[in-house]
Amino acid sequence: MALGVLPALAQVDSLIRVVQQLPNDTTRLPVLTELLRATVFTDPDSGLYFAERYRMVAEKGGTELQRGMGHNFTGMCHTGLGEHDRALEHYLQALQHFERGGDPWYEAMAHNNIGSVHEKQKRWDRSMAEFTMALDGFNAINDTVWVANVSNNLGNIHFELHEYDRAAERYRAAERILVQAGMEVYAGNARMNLANVLDRQGMKSEAMRVMRSALAVMPVGEDDHSRAGVLSNLGRLHGEVGDQDSALYFLRQGMELATTSQAMAVVANSHAYLGAYFERNGRLDSALFHHKRWSALNDSMFNSERSAQITEMQEKYDSGRKDMLLAENKAQLEQRSLTIKAIAAGAALVLLAALFAFRAYRIKKRTSEELARKNAVIDEQLKEKELLLREIHHRVKNNLQTVSSLLSIQGRGIADPTAKQAVNDSRLRVKSMALIHQDLYRDGDLTGVQMKEYVEKLASSLISSYDRADSVQLQLAIDDLSLDVDTAVPLGLILNELITNALKYAWPDAGEGVLVIGMTNSGDALRISVRDNGIGYDPDADRSADSTGFGLGMIKTFASKLKAEWSIRNERGTVVEMIVRNFKLAR
């Protein structure tokens, strides 16, 4: 026994112990499913036993989908044993359950499995039709992996019909889909089939290269049926190009793996290839033995009696499907008859309802006309109030501009530098408030201030006032938000002070600098920051000569009103951060 088989057997034994401890109902089905997955390809005899247990439970209390899965599993086990007529019987029953259960994925899978049986029995037209239905189904639900698998199956049909260009196209499409999906390990089958096409087209060296690439991506113990087929074909190709040692090595490996995994079709092909090998090498007794074994296996797998049974079962399924469609049509006709009667019975009620509806319409019309008249009055009053409010903001702005102009005039007549600076600071504070009222009456939104535009105007105006437009670069990170006037005014004054302080103290040598202003709304708070890349903040610096402390006091006052937490720190310059809790967004 190969070492790789031991873990699988341990898993099966463990699952058997689990299923024996469960009640004999549908709670067993998930465990039986895992048992089937572990045995259906490697030990189909054991898999058939588990499939029968699955079907018994599903028939008693399972859904249509679970009943269909039971028949599908049984069909897969019969396929693994080479019993294709019995496999087809269960696949057809599975399809009926899947159609009644309305599961498109399993319907497509059933068509694929039915097509595989017809393929093994060389019923190419029927197989092509079933694979095409499967491909349409998997395309409809966008299952790319199974689109690749069915494309590979269709390529097999084209290969058997000697349509090699179309077969190669299908195989390349299947490989491309699997590689793009990151599933190159499953692309081995498509590569093996493509190699066989290339061989038929006379490109043996390319065929051997592709066949070796197929073997390279097939893990040992995962899909031994396919791996056995690749090994057997590699042996055949090596023999045909004269590499007899490699040919015998790969042929014997393929035969051994196909026998242990019960891949009977690969066993038959391996006998045929070995017969040809021994014939080429003059060992006629061995060649005759393998040719006889190939013939016997072919006879057991493909005989006329089973083909007739398959035809009968397919026709039986088609007939049953037609009966089901007739029953559905009959039910639809009965439903239409009931609908017509219901319409006739309800006609009188509709007429009566129409009379009431007309009366209600007249009442509603009068009500609507009265409501429209009242709405017109309200709209007119709102327009008047809006006009009045716009005029108020305009006048407030003008008054503030007047105050600013007076302070400017007064400042020009003051000789004391400290007093002159204090008057200029006051003028800039007044100007920051005037900007708010200017935006309110110009932009049409009388209830809120667009902070992004406002902060940009405020900062640019202050930079120009301090004659730093050429040396200070302004960077903004302001959310697109509109604040209520009661919030915008104190925030504007705070920002005015912070920007002014940066322009006055950050770059004492009047060098180039960067000023960054941020404002974000986190839902429960506004987060505001003003940072520069200047010399940094010195809390112990003596500013008595050029600072009154009024600005700092004003920041503290407005911060308290807005329930704001604020901090100042040095971080490659001065950083002031403020978290405002008490704020209002514009309505």
Side-chain angles (χ1 to χ4, degrees):
M1 179 182 294
L3 292 177
V5 178
L6 293 174
L9 291 176
Q11 179 193 18
V12 170
D13 291 339
S14 175
L15 290 170
I16 290 173
R17 287 193 294 271
V18 171
V19 82
Q20 288 172 344
Q21 296 172 5
L22 295 172
N24 192 23
D25 56 25
T26 53
T27 56
R28 287 189 171 193
L29 296 184
V31 184
L32 286 169
T33 298
E34 293 304 315
L35 279 166
L36 282 159
R37 288 174 176 164
T39 57
V40 66
F41 296 116
T42 58
D43 186 6
D45 281 316
S46 298
L48 190 58
Y49 171 83
F50 297 130
E52 288 170 353
R53 303 283 81 74
Y54 189 109
R55 277 175 35 229
M56 290 173 59
V57 173
E59 288 297 330
K60 287 182 181 179
T63 62
E64 288 287 354
L65 176 60
Q66 289 169 333
R67 295 188 188 102
M69 289 174 66
H71 283 289
N72 193 62
F73 283 135
T74 305
M76 292 171 68
C77 294
H78 283 301
T79 297
L81 293 169
E83 299 167 352
H84 303 302
D85 51 339
R86 300 189 67 182
L88 181 60
E89 179 183 358
H90 287 285
Y91 287 147
L92 291 171
Q93 291 185 62
L95 179 57
Q96 291 178 345
H97 286 297
F98 294 149
E99 287 175 339
R100 286 196 290 268
D103 190 297
W105 190 91
Y106 277 101
E107 285 183 45
M109 179 59 67
H111 282 299
N112 177 74
N113 292 341
I114 294 168
S116 297
V117 173
H118 287 306
E119 178 192 359
K120 289 178 174 64
Q121 297 295 326
K122 300 186 179 181
R123 296 171 56 83
W124 310 126
D125 291 342
R126 179 68 73 175
S127 180
M128 183 79 76
E130 293 291 338
F131 282 144
T132 301
M133 285 190 281
L135 187 64
D136 291 342
F138 287 125
N139 268 317
I141 59 176
N142 199 29
D143 188 329
T144 55
V145 173
W146 271 101
V147 167
N149 289 338
V150 179
S151 295
N152 184 73
N153 293 340
L154 282 166
N156 294 340
I157 305 303
H158 290 301
F159 180 88
E160 294 295 340
L161 295 173
H162 306 292
E163 298 168 354
Y164 297 128
D165 288 338
R166 297 187 67 183
E169 181 182 348
R170 292 285 191 184
Y171 294 145
R172 287 193 174 99
E175 181 194 23
R176 182 172 60 254
I177 292 170
L178 291 169
V179 171
Q180 287 176 351
M183 305 178 71
E184 188 178 11
V185 68
Y186 297 110
N189 260 319
R191 291 181 183 176
M192 176 182 68
N193 294 334
L194 178 59
N196 287 331
V197 170
L198 295 169
D199 179 39
R200 289 292 180 89
Q201 293 177 322
M203 296 180 280
K204 285 197 181 296
S205 60
E206 180 65 11
M208 291 179 67
R209 185 192 67 78
V210 175
M211 194 72 76
R212 284 193 293 270
S213 74
L215 184 64
V217 299
M218 285 184 167
V220 177
E222 182 163 324
D223 184 358
D224 287 341
H225 283 63
S226 299
R227 186 175 175 85
V230 172
L231 289 167
S232 183
N233 275 290
L234 263 177
R236 174 182 60 81
L237 288 169
H238 277 286
E240 289 173 356
V241 299
D243 186 359
Q244 304 303 332
D245 291 339
S246 297
L248 188 58
Y249 169 80
F250 285 118
L251 285 171
R252 283 177 172 168
Q253 275 202 328
M255 172 69 79
E256 181 181 355
L257 187 57
T259 302
T260 57
S261 62
Q262 299 190 44
M264 302 312 296
V266 180
V267 172
N269 289 337
S270 297
H271 278 297
Y273 300 154
L274 281 166
Y277 168 85
F278 286 121
E279 188 175 346
R280 279 193 304 270
N281 288 274
R283 298 169 60 179
L284 299 183
D285 289 343
S286 296
L288 181 60
F289 167 81
H290 285 291
H291 281 308
K292 285 182 177 180
R293 291 295 301 146
W294 169 78
S295 180
L297 285 170
N298 264 358
D299 288 342
S300 67
M301 290 189 295
F302 307 106
N303 58 69
S304 58
E305 181 181 352
R306 289 185 176 181
S307 182
Q309 290 174 347
I310 290 170
T311 302
E312 180 183 351
M313 284 185 289
Q314 183 69 48
E315 290 172 355
K316 180 179 177 182
Y317 166 72
D318 290 340
S319 176
R321 192 171 186 182
K322 289 176 183 176
D323 290 342
M324 184 176 66
L325 291 174
L326 287 173
E328 289 177 355
N329 290 337
K330 183 179 178 182
Q332 289 176 359
L333 289 173
E334 290 176 354
Q335 182 64 37
R336 288 176 185 173
S337 176
L338 289 173
T339 303
I340 292 171
K341 290 178 181 178
I343 291 172
L349 292 175
V350 171
L351 180 61
L352 183 62
L355 293 174
F356 283 108
F358 178 70
R359 183 171 181 274
Y361 164 74
R362 294 188 64 183
I363 295 172
K364 183 179 178 181
K365 184 178 180 183
R366 287 197 298 270
T367 304
S368 297
E369 290 172 349
E370 179 65 19
L371 183 61
R373 186 187 64 78
K374 291 180 179 180
N375 284 339
V377 173
I378 293 171
D379 287 341
E380 187 64 29
Q381 291 175 346
L382 284 174
K383 288 178 182 178
E384 292 176 358
K385 290 181 179 179
E386 182 178 316
L387 182 62
L388 179 60
L389 188 57
R390 193 184 302 278
E391 179 63 23
I392 289 171
H393 282 301
H394 192 186
R395 292 190 180 186
V396 170
K397 189 272 295 184
N398 287 343
N399 290 338
L400 290 172
Q401 288 281 43
T402 301
V403 173
S404 177
S405 298
L406 290 173
L407 289 171
S408 179
I409 293 169
Q410 185 180 14
R412 286 198 292 269
I414 297 176
D416 181 76
T418 302
K420 187 180 183 74
Q421 183 62 53
V423 170
N424 187 55
D425 289 346
S426 297
R427 180 182 67 82
L428 294 176
R429 292 176 187 123
V430 170
K431 190 174 180 180
S432 74
M433 292 187 289
L435 276 175
I436 290 176
H437 293 280
Q438 175 181 297
D439 287 347
L440 285 171
Y441 86 82
R442 279 187 180 176
D443 294 343
D445 182 4
L446 298 171
T447 61
V449 179
Q450 297 295 326
M451 295 306 295
K452 194 171 187 178
E453 290 81 358
Y454 170 71
V455 173
E456 183 176 8
K457 290 178 185 176
L458 175 63
S460 298
S461 174
L462 289 171
I463 290 172
S464 296
S465 296
Y466 282 93
D467 197 22
R468 300 299 302 273
D470 294 332
S471 58
V472 173
Q473 178 187 351
L474 176 64
Q475 295 180 1
L476 300 178
I478 312 294
D479 281 358
D480 189 9
L481 72 157
S482 179
L483 295 182
D484 183 82
V485 177
D486 290 340
T487 303
V489 170
L491 273 183
L493 289 169
I494 289 172
L495 285 169
N496 183 89
E497 296 306 315
L498 295 177
I499 296 168
T500 297
N501 284 340
L503 293 171
K504 287 165 64 175
Y505 304 120
W507 307 282
D509 58 353
E512 293 186 354
V514 178
L515 180 64
V516 183
I517 305 172
M519 183 182 297
T520 59
N521 178 12
S522 61
D524 59 343
L526 288 178
R527 298 183 180 274
I528 301 167
S529 65
V530 177
R531 64 171 64 225
D532 60 63
N533 64 344
I535 62 172
Y537 171 71
D538 183 1
D540 299 324
D542 182 10
R543 291 190 172 88
S544 58
D546 56 0
S547 174
T548 63
F550 176 77
L552 181 62
M554 188 172 64
I555 291 175
K556 291 179 179 179
T557 299
F558 284 127
S560 176
K561 176 184 177 182
L562 295 171
K563 296 182 179 178
E565 304 167 7
W566 69 293
S567 62
I568 181 168
R569 68 178 187 275
N570 289 321
E571 187 180 297
R572 294 188 296 276
T574 303
V575 180
V576 180
E577 292 183 333
M578 180 174 290
I579 300 176
V580 178
R581 306 287 183 187
N582 183 22
F583 71 99
K584 291 181 182 178
L585 297 174
R587 293 194 299 270

